[in-house]
Amino acid sequence: MSYANAQSKNVIWDWLTTVDHKKIGILYLAGGAFFFALGGLEAILMRIQLMFPEFTFVQAQTFNELLTMHGTTMIFLAAMPLLFGFMNFVIPLQIGARDVAFPFLNALGFWLFLFGGLLLNVSWFATGAPDAGWTAYVPLSSMSPGQGLDYYVLGLQVSGLGTLIAGINFLVTIINMRAPGMSMMRMPLFTWSSFVASMLILFAFPALTIGLLLLMLERLFGATYFAVDFGGNVIIWQHLFWIFGHPEVYILILPAFGIFSEVLATFSKKRLFGYSAMVFATLIIGFLGFMVWAHHMFTVGMGPVANAIFAVATMAIAVPTGIKIFNWLLTLWGGRIQFTTANLFALGFIPSFVMGGVTGVMLATSAANYQFHDTYFVVAHFHYVIIGGVVFGLFSGAFYWWPKMFGYRLNEMLGKWFFWLFLIGFHLTFFVQHFLGLIGMPRRVASYLGGQGLDEMNFISTIGAFLMTIAFILLLVNIFTSTKNRENVADPWDGRTLEWTTPTPVPEYNFAQTPLVRELDPFWHEKYEGDGKMKAAEPLGDIHMPNGTILPIIMAAGLTVASFGFIYHIHPLTISGLAITFGAMFVRSVKEDHGHHIPVEEIKRDLGGGKNG
Amino acid sequence: MSSHSDPSAPLQGGPTKSTERKLKRESRTQLVAFVLMIFMTSLAFVSIGSDAIPNGFAIPFILMLAGIQVVLQLYFFMHMNEKGTAWINIMIWSGMFVAALTVGALMFLLGIVKY
């Protein structure tokens, strides 16, 4: 056991080798924000193309690539990593842990996501991006010429592996690393919903892995799972994809629900209404998320009984979601509501998300779905739930946790401008798309004819997209100009949960002494029933922390090299890439690494001088 | 987990009476379970080998036996019935539940007959 603190000399090396959950959370946020901007750029290019009938801003093929990459990037490379960023930073702090259960795997998960995402986007500069839609239905995807779809398959396989690792990591962390007194029913809702989302990841991602593997074998090695002439079945892909894909949208929305639960309770100055009902509803939503995948396939021809069963199951999800909505409303009821930017996003979320939910129930009506299927009505629905739910949640969480993560508060004035512009732009963009869909504009079309009643609404929609773009630029301006607001960052919002008990910046070990949890919302309890400080569950002592390591990045790079080998059929490259990965695994297995201890003197020094706020 | 104990220290003394009794019970359980497994495996082989089961029911029958055997092995050999395995039980069973429902639904949906 060494006391040699393995801090490196070099900042960049420090970030490349980090296994600290807070740094990995920030890395996830940075990576996710990069891909979020990329996905937004793709979206705005598409909206410009659809601004006028028969416009020729981009080619039809480019449009297909844009829409595929927009969906893939936003779901896999923006929304999930951004949520993982918050989960990584916040969950260990909320449960009173010093780190996640598997710090090494945490770093590996991040690097796999980043390399997978970069691999996917290399396709723009190679032979063209994937062009079969983010759902990549066969045979369109299995027959697609060029290497675009190969990039899709391997990029998603690599980043999906990272996601699966991260999900398992959070499951084990939440089960095993809770502070004394932090029972399951005292956990903050964000931790609870992330826990359920991690369960969904554990059960859903294998289906995607298998689906992508079949598609890879089909495209690269001439298999015939989906080739009807050889007795294959194209519907298998749709089932496998949606068995993953439907839980995926709940993986996205549940942590966002958790963020709203934290934010609304904090800014109403009330404990969350119906905590146990919220937990129960989260679990039910998680379970039902698995049982409804075929509602994406009502028009495939599954037959009336199957359609009816899935229609009813889908409508049933409205019940636990409704429970959650009413609980949020009742949390606000009678509270002292503060209209901070974070809370504005949470308040804007409730009506926006309900509108998306209502169109969801409409789509679940399997008979009516024959009319809605593959029209802009569907596009409007899922943008309402994903932007009005997940993206609002991410922005809300960003404004809420920013002081704790980065040590400065974002400007509220700019933040409110950002919120209102984004809210108006979002509704302007997508509200009219419901009607575009109802009068028959299909999804995924690169252009449309004029004089069919589609012109004005498409133009309005594009104006809204511009507004959202301006709003996002305001957020970026806010991030870079607010760095001087450095006072009151330890507990800026009069927080209720354990993450606000730590000093800012949060020390490497999070808690000098593991806190003792005595109640739901433990920090609030100590503020109003105790003396305002957490009770310690252990004496002050040396703290054991893991060492940083460069191996995760090497493993991820090896898989990326192997992916290029697969895409271009260069077997030596494949073998060398896999050799790099397995070599790194071998090193990890045989090299003893016991971590290091932080001596008690250093902790006492931090406690003496490191407090601000 | 605490840094006050030395995991490499040599063990001294023998097990207590109650531990001995527990170990005895444990080994008896293991032995009985092992015999049961042998019996079930042979049952599967014999039932197919001797045509005792009608052809249509043969595959479901051995799948059923396999399922029972997996569960028994999880509880007897993998110690899933002991203290501190609550989460393991929850995760394994919810995974099985979701998988069973999914596979069942897929068999129902991917068939030739449309319901």
Side-chain angles (χ1 to χ4, degrees):
Chain A
M1 291 296 174
S2 72
Y3 280 91
N5 196 343
Q7 279 298 323
S8 70
K9 297 72 33 196
N10 175 331
V11 174
I12 293 180
W13 183 253
D14 203 33
W15 281 87
L16 291 181
T17 60
T18 186
V19 292
D20 177 18
H21 71 93
K22 297 176 288 297
K23 282 185 174 165
I24 291 171
I26 289 168
L27 285 171
Y28 261 120
L29 276 197
F34 168 73
F35 286 120
F36 186 82
L38 212 59
L41 183 71
E42 284 149 3
I44 201 80
L45 291 177
M46 279 192 290
R47 270 327 315 172
I48 292 172
Q49 161 65 17
L50 293 170
M51 206 164 173
F52 305 107
E54 297 187 78
F55 204 36
T56 49
F57 179 71
V58 293
Q59 300 290 329
Q61 172 62 24
T62 314
F63 186 90
N64 292 348
E65 292 173 8
L66 283 174
L67 84 88
T68 302
M69 287 303 281
H70 168 69
T72 312
T73 303
M74 282 303 199
I75 297 269
F76 290 101
L77 310 179
M80 290 190 84
L82 289 167
L83 286 167
F84 275 139
F86 289 127
M87 284 161 142
N88 250 312
F89 194 95
V90 174
I91 287 177
L93 292 175
Q94 280 194 336
I95 61 176
R98 294 221 163 93
D99 209 328
V100 290
F102 306 119
F104 179 91
L105 285 187
N106 205 8
L108 180 61
F110 167 74
W111 291 112
L112 282 171
F113 139 69
L114 186 71
F115 279 69
L118 292 175
L119 175 68
L120 199 51
N121 279 284
V122 164
S123 61
W124 287 110
F125 308 104
T127 50
D131 57 355
W134 88 275
T135 53
Y137 274 13
V138 293
L140 183 62
S141 59
S142 54
M143 302 289 187
S144 170
Q147 267 88 40
L149 260 297
D150 303 339
Y151 277 102
Y152 171 92
V153 167
L154 284 148
L156 284 193
Q157 198 74 286
V158 173
S159 82
L161 183 59
T163 306
L164 186 57
I165 286 173
I168 293 170
N169 196 356
F170 286 124
L171 281 177
V172 181
T173 302
I174 294 170
I175 289 174
N176 283 337
M177 310 279 284
R178 281 170 286 131
M182 176 64 77
S183 63
M184 290 303 277
M185 291 312 274
R186 282 183 190 165
M187 283 197 315
L189 239 282
F190 177 64
T191 303
W192 245 118
S193 54
S194 301
F195 179 72
V196 178
S198 301
M199 276 180 98
L200 296 186
I201 289 172
L202 177 65
F203 296 143
F205 262 79
L208 176 73
T209 306
I210 295 302
L212 289 172
L213 180 72
L214 296 187
L215 187 55
M216 176 175 151
L217 294 174
E218 186 104 348
R219 282 188 61 88
L220 297 174
F221 302 105
T224 54
Y225 300 105
F226 308 125
V228 179
D229 345 358
F230 298 94
N233 186 341
V234 292
I235 306 300
I236 293 175
W237 166 266
Q238 296 188 21
H239 278 298
L240 280 174
F241 184 86
W242 287 118
I243 285 172
F244 147 78
H246 197 80
E248 163 71 19
V249 298
Y250 287 92
I251 293 165
L252 294 177
I253 198 65
L254 285 177
F257 281 175
I259 293 173
F260 293 125
S261 302
E262 305 287 321
V263 169
L264 288 169
T266 303
F267 293 116
S268 306
K269 292 263 184 280
K270 276 176 68 187
R271 74 187 292 168
L272 191 70
F273 187 91
Y275 173 89
S276 49
M278 285 297 244
V279 171
F280 176 73
T282 308
L283 284 163
I284 293 288
I285 290 173
F287 169 71
L288 285 175
F290 269 98
M291 296 300 136
V292 297
W293 77 89
H295 69 210
H296 297 267
M297 303 159 60
F298 279 148
T299 56
V300 158
M302 295 183 302
V305 172
N307 276 8
I309 290 170
F310 280 99
V312 171
T314 305
M315 291 175 191
I317 295 188
V319 176
T321 314
I323 292 173
K324 289 183 88 75
I325 296 278
F326 285 117
N327 276 329
W328 285 316
L329 291 175
L330 288 162
T331 304
L332 292 163
W333 190 281
R336 288 210 304 280
I337 303 173
Q338 297 162 295
F339 292 95
T340 56
T341 310
N343 202 28
L344 281 175
F345 272 109
L347 295 170
F349 145 83
I350 296 176
S352 307
F353 187 82
V354 168
M355 287 167 74
V358 168
T359 51
V361 177
M362 289 169 73
L363 285 165
T365 316
S366 53
N369 190 271
Y370 278 82
Q371 193 64 32
F372 301 136
H373 186 81
D374 260 346
T375 68
Y376 258 79
F377 191 83
V378 180
V379 177
H381 156 70
F382 67 68
H383 281 92
Y384 256 86
V385 285
I386 291 186
I387 298 182
V390 182
V391 177
F392 278 26
L394 290 168
F395 289 152
S396 182
F399 275 83
Y400 181 60
W401 281 307
W402 202 272
K404 184 54 70 184
M405 293 179 88
F406 297 99
Y408 65 93
R409 284 175 299 113
L410 289 174
N411 183 316
E412 286 291 317
M413 189 68 201
L414 266 176
K416 282 170 187 169
W417 271 96
F418 161 55
F419 165 74
W420 285 110
L421 275 179
F422 195 88
L423 184 84
I424 293 164
F426 155 66
H427 281 281
L428 207 58
T429 306
F430 296 108
F431 188 72
V432 291
Q433 290 187 1
H434 292 113
F435 304 103
L436 278 174
L438 290 175
I439 60 176
M441 181 169 171
R443 277 172 84 172
R444 304 185 178 119
V445 285
S447 194
Y448 52 94
L449 289 172
Q452 298 189 324
L454 307 175
D455 311 11
E456 297 82 3
M457 284 194 275
N458 268 303
F459 186 79
I460 292 168
S461 193
T462 303
I463 297 298
F466 280 126
L467 277 184
M468 277 197 281
T469 313
I470 294 165
F472 185 68
I473 290 167
L474 278 187
L475 173 67
L476 294 181
V477 169
N478 194 348
I479 287 170
F480 290 110
T481 56
S482 303
T483 45
K484 57 193 177 302
N485 305 335
R486 292 199 170 272
E487 71 289 347
N488 187 22
V489 286
D491 181 17
W493 319 114
D494 195 10
R496 312 175 67 82
T497 42
L498 284 178
E499 74 263 36
W500 305 109
T501 64
T502 56
T504 301
V506 186
E508 187 197 355
Y509 45 81
N510 295 354
F511 299 94
Q513 291 163 284
T514 305
L516 179 70
V517 177
R518 303 199 288 174
E519 184 56 73
L520 176 69
D521 289 347
F523 192 29
W524 190 259
H525 177 80
E526 298 299 338
K527 277 178 185 171
Y528 289 87
E529 309 288 329
D531 57 357
K533 287 195 193 65
M534 294 306 296
K535 303 275 170 287
E538 60 172 15
L540 208 55
D542 293 355
I543 294 174
H544 177 257
M545 295 304 284
N547 285 331
T549 165
I550 194 70
L551 286 174
I553 209 171
I554 294 176
M555 287 184 193
L559 281 184
T560 312
V561 170
S563 298
F564 277 115
F566 277 124
I567 291 167
Y568 292 108
H569 294 281
I570 310 170
H571 298 309
L573 203 59
T574 311
I575 292 162
S576 56
L578 290 174
I580 292 171
T581 299
F582 284 109
M585 285 183 187
F586 179 76
V587 172
R588 167 75 182 163
S589 306
V590 297
K591 194 162 151 268
E592 297 219 351
D593 183 359
H594 291 302
H596 60 277
H597 275 86
I598 297 170
V600 74
E601 294 77 42
E602 196 179 318
I603 297 161
K604 279 188 180 140
R605 204 167 51 239
D606 290 352
L607 285 176
K611 275 265 167 46
N612 57 342
Chain B
M1 288 307 285
S2 77
S3 51
H4 304 295
S5 63
D6 179 8
S8 60
L11 289 171
Q12 282 168 341
T16 60
K17 281 274 186 296
S18 70
T19 312
E20 274 198 338
R21 273 199 297 275
K22 214 178 98 206
L23 286 171
K24 237 193 168 105
R25 239 196 341 264
E26 179 77 9
S27 64
R28 208 168 45 235
T29 317
Q30 293 281 324
L31 207 64
V32 171
F34 180 66
V35 172
L36 186 66
M37 295 305 153
I38 299 285
F39 168 72
M40 286 183 78
T41 312
S42 4
L43 186 67
F45 274 98
V46 169
S47 63
I48 300 298
S50 67
D51 287 332
I53 308 288
N55 273 350
F57 186 58
I59 290 176
F61 180 71
I62 53 173
L63 280 179
M64 191 180 71
L65 280 180
I68 293 169
Q69 212 164 337
V70 165
V71 173
L72 289 178
Q73 291 204 3
L74 280 176
Y75 281 90
F76 284 134
F77 298 156
M78 306 299 286
H79 301 284
M80 247 172 70
N81 50 358
E82 287 176 16
K83 277 198 197 70
T85 56
W87 276 112
I88 293 169
N89 271 289
I90 289 171
M91 296 306 283
I92 285 186
W93 283 112
S94 50
M96 281 189 189
F97 184 60
V98 167
L101 272 171
T102 309
V103 170
L106 277 183
M107 286 166 72
F108 171 75
L109 292 171
L110 284 168
I112 306 298
V113 186
K114 296 290 176 218
Y115 294 96

